[in-house]
Amino acid sequence: NAGVTQTPKFQVLKTGQSMTLQCAQDMNHEYMSWYRQDPGMGLRLIHYSVGAGITDQGEVPNGYNVSRSTTEDFPLRLLSAAPSQTSVYFCASSYGSDGRVSPLHFGNGTRLTVT
Amino acid sequence: GEDVEQSLFLSVREGDSSVINCTYTDSSSTYLYWYKQEPGAGLQLLTYIFSNMDMKQDQRLTVLLNKKDKHLSLRIADTQTGDSAIYFCAETAGGGNKLTFGTGTQLKVEL
């Protein structure tokens, strides 16, 4: 049981380049999300999905796109990378919420540097 | 919007107790969580507390919730070097999946 798998672990981009951060989970979780972690700012929600075919914006969505064509995968696309997007990105998933506790399971992160 | 605050650093001696504090603003918070992040890794759930509880104990961990003051704390008894990590509190309203995280507290355990 792999849990939440993120690839790549490290990436360096030049300003203006595009790329996709991959996230896959094998726990049949309905809910998936992307966070970015920056020093002194904790984790901020970028985008999330409550199920296949459904996505929504989080706190800091600008410059990022997502799609959810399957339950397992939730890729994050950077359309035109900027130095402000240098960060560590985490994908997280959990069971669908029905009011019960539903803790997030995190991947190990992708460390992105934009020069 | 929701806001969750933590102090950035805490240093303790091995064997002492650690207390990590967190304050939040959302009065509709239903579940409050503590996550641990070790270097180079993702966050792992340590424990959680439902908003109608005052305290929860799990081995060396004690969570205290003061709902009136919107204050949450995590006490680690007999702190070990392996407890050195960043600790995040997080809250969610209505049992939803969208968590709001604090800034994280870096715990350093000294010999």
Side-chain angles (χ1 to χ4, degrees), chain B residues 32-100:
Chain B
L32 297 115
Y33 302 86
W34 284 104
Y35 281 84
K36 177 183 181 182
Q37 184 184 33
E38 297 184 353
L43 280 69
Q44 290 183 304
L45 178 69
L46 275 180
T47 186
Y48 66 90
I49 189 167
F50 190 52
S51 59
N52 67 354
M53 298 168 65
D54 297 325
M55 185 182 82
K56 181 178 181 180
Q57 189 149 4
D58 183 2
Q59 299 181 332
R60 292 191 297 122
L61 305 178
T62 303
V63 178
L64 294 177
L65 175 61
N66 181 329
K67 197 173 180 183
K68 174 177 168 289
D69 295 337
K70 300 189 184 67
H71 182 266
L72 181 73
S73 68
L74 173 70
R75 179 177 180 269
I76 305 173
D78 187 24
T79 311
Q80 303 297 307
T81 55
D83 294 324
S84 293
I86 302 175
Y87 291 81
F88 291 91
C89 66
E91 60 88 21
T92 184
N97 302 85
K98 288 173 61 181
L99 268 62
T100 299

Side-chain angles (χ1 to χ4, degrees), chain A residues 24-57:
Chain A
Q25 53 88 12
D26 61 359
M27 297 172 282
N28 201 30
H29 284 168
E30 293 178 16
Y31 180 87
M32 296 186 75
S33 56
W34 279 100
Y35 286 86
R36 60 178 288 174
Q37 182 181 18
D38 301 292
M41 302 188 75
L43 278 78
R44 291 180 292 169
L45 182 64
I46 304 172
H47 284 285
Y48 66 98
S49 168
V50 299
I54 305 169
T55 64
D56 209 343
Q57 295 181 349

Side-chain angles (χ1 to χ4, degrees), chain A residues 31-98:
Chain A
Y31 180 87
M32 296 186 75
S33 56
W34 279 100
Y35 286 86
R36 60 178 288 174
Q37 182 181 18
D38 301 292
M41 302 188 75
L43 278 78
R44 291 180 292 169
L45 182 64
I46 304 172
H47 284 285
Y48 66 98
S49 168
V50 299
I54 305 169
T55 64
D56 209 343
Q57 295 181 349
E59 181 186 354
V60 288
N62 292 342
Y64 308 95
N65 275 357
V66 291
S67 59
R68 186 90 180 272
S69 56
T70 66
T71 299
E72 295 78 17
D73 300 298
F74 190 46
L76 178 73
R77 296 183 187 86
L78 279 71
L79 307 174
S80 177
S84 61
Q85 294 178 305
T86 293
S87 187
V88 181
Y89 292 85
F90 288 99
C91 179
S93 70
S94 66
Y95 292 106
S97 172
D98 59 358

